Amino acid sequence: MYTIGIDIGSTTSKGILLKDGKEIVAEMLIVAGIGTNGAKQVLEEILNQQGLSDEEIDYVAATGYGRNTFSFADGKVSELSCHAKGVHYLYPDTRTIIDIGGQDAKVMQLNTDGILLNFLMNDKCAAGTGRFLDVMSNILQLPIEQLESKARSSPEPARISSTCTVFAESEVISSLANGEKLENVIAGICISVASRAAALVKRLGVKESVFMSGGVALNGGVRDGLEKELGVKIHYSDKSQMTGALGAALYAYEKKK
Ligand code: ADP
């Protein structure tokens, strides 16, 4: 049986094709989220790539902010349950998920069966989300993928004290103008995102193992900052950005089975 999970986020659309609820056959990410035709493209690309037709797919489940406006799915499911399911599949020992995407940060607690027990979310402010990193990578004219290596080469991270993305932008520019090294500024930017997420985690309580999902999980500078702030190992996977889509594909399998 083939099922597909589509996760329509604020900045990206992701898709996972699952065989028999177990095997990840294909994954697709397009940098175009809610309000674009990114999700439809993801679905079409997966089918084309695998030489499959619509009829051969048993169930398509949509999740993420954009799920309600996506008409090509057989069903919709909340992103919290999808992240829980997807992360439990990738790393079953997980009790705490830190999910940082393009527009929000969430912390979730799971039981040993991967069932969501509790969560907290920041979706009110760009600071502490991928948006903050995107704004900074834009003004520094550095691809987002390069923030990690720059941050990790910093001997002394700069302190970014502004709690607002707009003010932090000016702070970054003036600290560079005052001669601060680029890598120290970038490390400071990553730490700033990590401290905000860490504050959310502390409010909910840290239960190991801790797994990071969402696109920001791919940034080792933020993961390092979280490990320091929380004093625990932060696990992640090269599929961390795909956990919502994976969870939706697993949900689709359960629904059809
Ligand atoms: P959403 O679901 O809200 O669209 P994602 O979970 O896809 O968000 O995460 C998007 C964010 O992830 C981007 O805003 C960016 O900051 C970050 N990101 C994406 N790819 C990478 C990468 N390769 N390395 C570091 N950060 C990344």
Side-chain angles (χ1 to χ4, degrees):
M1 185 199 298
Y2 284 116
T3 59
I4 291 182
I6 303 280
D7 178 10
I8 309 157
S10 61
T11 51
T12 59
S13 299
K14 284 85 61 180
I16 290 273
L17 172 66
L18 205 59
K19 190 175 176 198
D20 300 330
K22 282 194 190 79
E23 187 195 341
I24 297 176
V25 180
E27 58 184 281
M28 184 67 57
L29 180 148
I30 290 181
V31 185
I34 185 166
T36 70
N37 71 347
K40 186 163 172 271
Q41 258 177 280
V42 163
L43 187 55
E44 286 168 358
E45 295 260 338
I46 289 179
L47 296 178
N48 284 342
Q49 191 195 68
Q50 298 299 315
L52 290 166
S53 67
D54 284 348
E55 293 74 42
E56 286 169 282
I57 306 299
D58 294 279
Y59 199 98
V60 178
T63 189
Y65 276 137
R67 66 182 179 275
N68 292 325
T69 52
F70 186 63
S71 55
F72 303 92
D74 301 299
K76 296 163 197 159
V77 60
S78 104
E79 50 192 307
L80 290 168
S81 355
C82 285
H83 282 297
K85 254 191 216 315
V87 171
H88 183 72
Y89 172 101
L90 290 176
Y91 199 82
D93 282 343
T94 304
R95 298 292 166 269
T96 307
I97 303 174
I98 304 173
D99 176 82
I100 314 185
Q103 183 171 280
D104 67 11
K106 309 180 195 72
V107 181
M108 291 159 259
Q109 262 177 10
L110 310 187
N111 70 11
T112 48
D113 298 321
I115 304 296
L116 182 70
L117 296 175
N118 212 346
F119 77 96
L120 278 175
M121 174 147 114
N122 158 31
D123 60 354
K124 300 279 181 286
C125 169
T129 74
R131 178 86 190 122
F132 184 83
L133 297 166
D134 297 341
V135 166
M136 298 306 167
S137 89
N138 217 6
I139 58 168
L140 300 173
Q141 301 218 304
L142 264 179
I144 198 83
E145 298 80 16
Q146 285 183 23
L147 298 186
E148 170 178 310
S149 60
K150 295 273 183 221
R152 284 184 163 167
S153 67
S154 157
E156 209 183 333
R159 201 178 128 65
I160 310 291
S161 55
S162 304
T163 51
C164 162
T165 308
V166 178
F167 292 141
E169 201 175 334
S170 322
E171 193 180 346
V172 161
I173 292 166
S174 51
S175 90
L176 287 169
N178 291 334
E180 185 58 274
K181 287 206 172 92
L182 179 65
E183 53 266 38
N184 292 343
V185 170
I186 293 173
I189 289 167
C190 293
I191 288 170
S192 158
V193 171
S195 340
R196 286 176 166 271
L200 211 58
V201 179
K202 285 177 190 162
R203 272 172 57 201
L204 201 63
V206 191
K207 280 212 180 112
E208 290 193 78
S209 296
V210 181
F211 186 94
M212 195 172 170
S213 66
V216 176
L218 304 175
N219 182 330
V222 177
R223 293 198 311 274
D224 294 348
L226 276 164
E227 289 193 341
K228 248 194 194 142
E229 289 259 353
L230 298 173
V232 296
K233 178 155 180 57
I234 304 291
H235 300 270
Y236 81 108
S237 144
D238 60 356
K239 294 197 180 2
S240 275
Q241 198 170 7
M242 308 300 289
T243 56
L246 175 58
L250 289 163
Y251 164 87
Y253 174 73
E254 284 163 17
K255 189 89 184 160
K256 202 64 194 176
K257 192 178 62 165

